[in-house]
Amino acid sequence: MDILLKSAKIIDEESAYHGAVKDILISDGVIKQISNHIAAEGVDKVLENTYISQGWTDSSVCFGEPGFEERETLENGMLTAQRSGFTHVLVNPLTHPVADNKQAVMYIKEKTKHFATTAHPIGALTVESKGEFLAELYDMQNGGAVAFGDYKKPMHNSNLLKIALQYTQPFGGIVISFPNDAKIMGKGVVNEHIESTRLGLKGIPALAEELCVARDLAILEYAGGKLHIPTISTAKSVALIEEAKNKGLDVTCSVAIHNIQFTDEVLEGFDTNYKVLPPLRDTENVKELRDALQRGAIDFVTSDHNPLDIELKFKEFDLASFGTIGLENVWGVLSQYTTVERAVTLLTSARKRFGIPTTPIAENTEADVTIFTPEGETVFTKEMILSASKNSAFIGATMKGKVLGIIAHRQAILNDGV
């Protein structure tokens, strides 16, 4: 299939064409020509006035399979990722059994190998994600795991985290440590602030996150290694990580797209789709997260996509599970809070961090690209949800721009109406 992008703006800092507006001819998944003008005769598909970048990467998604197929299968999860503009996704070990061994990692790789999007498993850091014993980290990396972490489960044993950072150094492994002190969190369900008091909901103090961030950074400074802190949500967490980077520590962090979009004021209606972990914070913290995106203090943005079936969400707020889907909404939200160039950086920089090869946009290279536009607005509705589970915090929210499609693995996936 031949696809011609007419007057496409190239956003790729690794490419010689960065910032240029060019015609781009892609034939059977290979970028054949980049020029000021390419004739459209004989071309199967022509797209005009688009943007193109290296393919986007989401550093935190859950697909359920194996074990939780009622929430999301690998097949439908990968189809959702493709339609949402991602050519690479890091798949959390939120499965049953937990992906804590090489065979489980290879299962995910094998089951998803035919899609345009590539799945990169995150192996569990500890056996069954129980936080007691380190899992088979080296074997899992040999099987295709790109990092190791226990999804939404903090490492209570400080010494085990230290050992993990030391153990992974010889083979360049990346440790993911979710920052949340369960004892301080207690039975909290929302951000501890004015809204939690007003609504009568138990609060989760920002301290529960910030204490773990400070501890993990102190351990990293002592032990060395590579640390990724996922889905931070407070201004102090940002400041602590910035300070650590200035010291030269090898640390990165991400923020979930819903923690950028919403403040805890949306909890007024007790909609359990807004029950997430870390919780939606107050206006002051959300403003700092948005500012940190622009100045580069936060390394990448994630959907933190977590499909949950109706039985886990359609219940009293206190009893509902934490989590929202969000793959479909990342671009539509992120484009509202930063420049196109910065947004693309936030959606592509995870590739280098997790050792995923990058391919600059150039002639005679296999395409691994996302095609999109920052123009236009739509209101996201339940009917637009591609995921099997419908637990979306974004229903009714305004999205800016649109994902037009991806081209990767010599496959072109174009969205409806393109």
Side-chain angles (χ1 to χ4, degrees):
M1 181 180 185
D2 291 343
I3 298 174
L4 177 60
L5 307 181
K6 296 288 291 183
S7 300
K9 185 163 186 179
I10 301 169
I11 309 296
D12 181 1
E13 293 182 351
E14 294 184 352
S15 170
Y17 299 100
H18 176 58
V21 177
K22 297 286 185 179
D23 287 3
I24 304 173
L25 177 62
I26 303 175
S27 179
D28 295 327
V30 176
I31 300 175
K32 291 293 187 181
Q33 187 178 357
I34 301 176
S35 180
N36 290 329
H37 176 74
I38 301 174
E41 285 80 10
V43 174
D44 299 301
K45 189 74 175 180
V46 179
L47 304 179
E48 297 186 357
N49 302 315
T50 67
Y51 284 65
I52 184 173
S53 72
Q54 287 192 41
W56 301 343
T57 300
D58 193 328
S59 61
S60 177
V61 303
C62 301
F63 288 153
E65 186 181 352
F68 300 121
E69 288 85 354
E70 74 280 5
R71 303 179 190 179
E72 187 79 283
T73 62
L74 281 168
E75 180 175 6
N76 195 67
M78 295 296 286
L79 291 173
T80 300
Q82 291 180 169
R83 297 292 181 183
S84 302
F86 294 95
T87 62
H88 298 269
V89 290
L90 275 63
V91 182
N92 289 303
L94 186 63
T95 54
H96 184 71
V98 172
D100 62 0
N101 58 76
K102 183 177 180 179
Q103 289 71 30
V105 167
M106 293 178 68
Y107 171 84
I108 294 172
K109 295 287 290 183
E110 179 67 23
K111 197 79 183 286
T112 59
K113 66 181 182 181
H114 62 283
F115 290 95
T117 297
T118 302
H120 303 274
I122 297 172
L125 183 60
T126 62
V127 176
E128 297 182 4
S129 289
K130 290 183 176 180
E132 298 174 353
F133 308 100
L134 288 184
E136 302 169 354
L137 308 186
Y138 182 66
D139 279 352
M140 284 193 287
Q141 182 145 315
N142 287 338
V146 295
F148 311 102
D150 297 330
Y151 183 69
K152 298 299 182 187
K153 293 184 178 181
M155 177 68 82
H156 301 299
N157 187 331
S158 299
N159 189 56
L160 196 57
L161 178 60
K162 181 202 74 173
I163 293 170
L165 286 166
Q166 293 172 328
Y167 176 77
T168 52
Q169 287 179 46
F171 55 92
I174 298 175
V175 174
I176 298 175
S177 180
F178 177 65
N180 182 48
D181 189 306
K183 295 294 185 182
I184 292 178
M185 173 185 170
K187 296 182 179 180
V189 292
V190 298
N191 180 46
E192 183 183 79
H193 196 246
I194 295 170
E195 290 299 316
S196 62
T197 302
R198 190 174 68 84
L199 297 173
L201 295 170
K202 293 183 176 68
I204 303 173
L207 179 66
E209 174 180 312
E210 295 157 359
L211 195 63
C212 282
V213 170
R215 182 207 66 168
D216 291 357
L217 292 172
I219 294 173
L220 177 66
E221 187 171 10
Y222 173 84
K226 298 180 180 181
L227 178 67
H228 176 62
I229 302 177
T231 59
I232 62 172
S233 65
T234 76
K236 189 168 183 179
S237 292
V238 172
L240 287 167
I241 293 169
E242 280 188 297
E243 181 183 356
K245 289 178 177 178
N246 290 335
K247 289 180 179 179
L249 300 187
D250 195 345
V251 59
T252 52
C253 66
S254 66
V255 64
I257 195 67
H258 45 265
N259 285 107
I260 298 169
Q261 172 78 341
F262 303 109
T263 69
D264 56 4
E265 294 175 1
V266 300
L267 298 171
E268 179 75 31
F270 296 92
D271 186 341
T272 60
N273 286 327
Y274 295 123
K275 185 180 179 181
V276 292
L277 192 66
L280 303 177
R281 300 292 185 185
D282 58 272
T283 301
E284 183 178 345
N285 278 299
V286 173
K287 182 180 183 301
E288 172 57 20
L289 292 177
R290 293 172 182 172
D291 291 344
L293 290 179
Q294 188 61 35
R295 69 173 185 268
I298 292 173
D299 297 280
F300 21 92
V301 169
T302 173
S303 66
D304 202 26
H305 184 79
N306 188 5
L308 297 170
D309 61 75
I310 193 170
E311 292 181 352
L312 297 173
K313 275 295 188 180
F314 191 63
K315 55 177 62 177
E316 295 92 335
F317 200 96
D318 283 348
L319 301 178
S321 297
F322 291 99
T324 178
I325 57 174
L327 266 171
E328 303 99 318
N329 307 105
V330 174
W331 175 250
V333 172
L334 184 58
S335 60
Q336 300 178 47
Y337 297 111
T338 187
T339 64
V340 172
E341 290 77 9
R342 182 64 194 149
V344 168
T345 297
L346 289 163
L347 292 175
T348 56
S349 58
R351 294 176 68 165
K352 285 187 176 179
R353 178 56 170 172
F354 294 102
I356 301 168
T358 62
T359 306
I361 295 172
E363 291 183 338
N364 300 315
T365 60
E366 186 172 324
D368 185 331
V369 297
T370 300
I371 306 166
F372 62 98
T373 176
E375 306 299 328
E377 289 188 352
T378 57
V379 175
F380 190 72
T381 65
K382 188 174 182 179
E383 290 69 32
M384 296 178 181
I385 294 175
L386 303 172
S387 303
S389 293
K390 309 303 178 185
N391 57 307
S392 174
F394 299 95
I395 296 172
T398 298
M399 301 289 113
K400 181 176 180 289
K402 184 179 181 181
V403 174
L404 303 178
I406 65 169
I407 302 175
H409 279 182
R410 295 182 179 265
Q411 299 179 53
I413 308 297
L414 301 180
N415 286 332
D416 296 339
V418 175

